[in-house]
Amino acid sequence: AKPWPALPPLLVDLATRAAAQAGFDGFVADACLVNHYLPGTRLSLHQDRDEQDYGQPIVSISLGLPAVFLFGGLQRSDRPRHIPLSHGDVLVWGGEDRLRFHGVLPIKPGVHPRMGERRINLTLRKAG
Ligand code: MD6
Ligand code: FE
């Protein structure tokens, strides 16, 4: 089978530096999920559990329209905090928070000057 193409070093470096700033040294992302949100799109509460090592954090980069990130507890029923995210924000979660339920409220209609009517989220991970 063909190997996955390498991630852009720029993104891997950004994720390593953001993770270190949040207290997670030595993070080297090997995967990036790209989610595209149109106005009205939401992401329901979930845990990120597809990775091998929950000792590695998640680094999330937000671009375009603003969003409200829901940061919940370890049970789906725990009431989530609301964290506003705008263009250029980088959010890191890991350690004891790695398996918190999280999601995104429906994106409000709007036009971002650079990105138009969309939000793009990049999550950098260590999958393997
Ligand atoms: C966000 N994204 O868009 C949060 N999880 O701010 C996620 O939680 C996420 O984009 C799993 C896979 C892709 C994602
Ligand atoms: Fe997620």
Side-chain angles (χ1 to χ4, degrees):
K2 279 190 193 165
W4 292 91
L7 291 177
L10 190 78
L11 280 181
V12 178
D13 291 351
L14 188 157
T16 297
R17 287 186 284 117
Q21 210 164 331
F24 305 105
D25 283 328
F27 177 63
V28 181
D30 63 6
C32 179
L33 295 183
V34 181
N35 269 212
H36 184 196
Y37 299 80
L38 298 172
T41 309
R42 65 194 290 265
L43 180 64
S44 54
L45 287 176
H46 66 280
Q47 292 170 300
D48 290 2
R49 316 192 61 127
D50 290 339
E51 300 76 25
Q52 299 280 344
D53 179 4
Y54 300 146
Q56 300 300 320
I58 303 279
V59 176
S60 159
I61 304 170
S62 292
L63 298 171
L65 289 176
V68 176
F69 186 80
L70 301 173
F71 199 48
L74 296 177
Q75 317 247 38
R76 190 186 298 276
S77 55
D78 293 336
R79 183 201 296 265
R81 292 172 55 191
H82 287 42
I83 302 176
L85 293 178
S86 41
H87 182 70
D89 284 347
V90 179
L91 181 68
V92 179
W93 69 97
E96 64 188 9
D97 301 312
R98 177 60 176 74
L99 289 176
R100 283 183 186 270
F101 279 87
H102 59 277
V104 177
L105 287 182
I107 303 296
K108 285 193 183 158
V111 182
H112 185 272
R114 300 187 72 123
M115 302 290 289
E117 294 183 83
R118 64 182 54 77
R119 170 173 188 259
I120 294 190
N121 177 258
L122 309 177
T123 50
L124 288 141
R125 300 145 188 275
K126 185 160 186 336

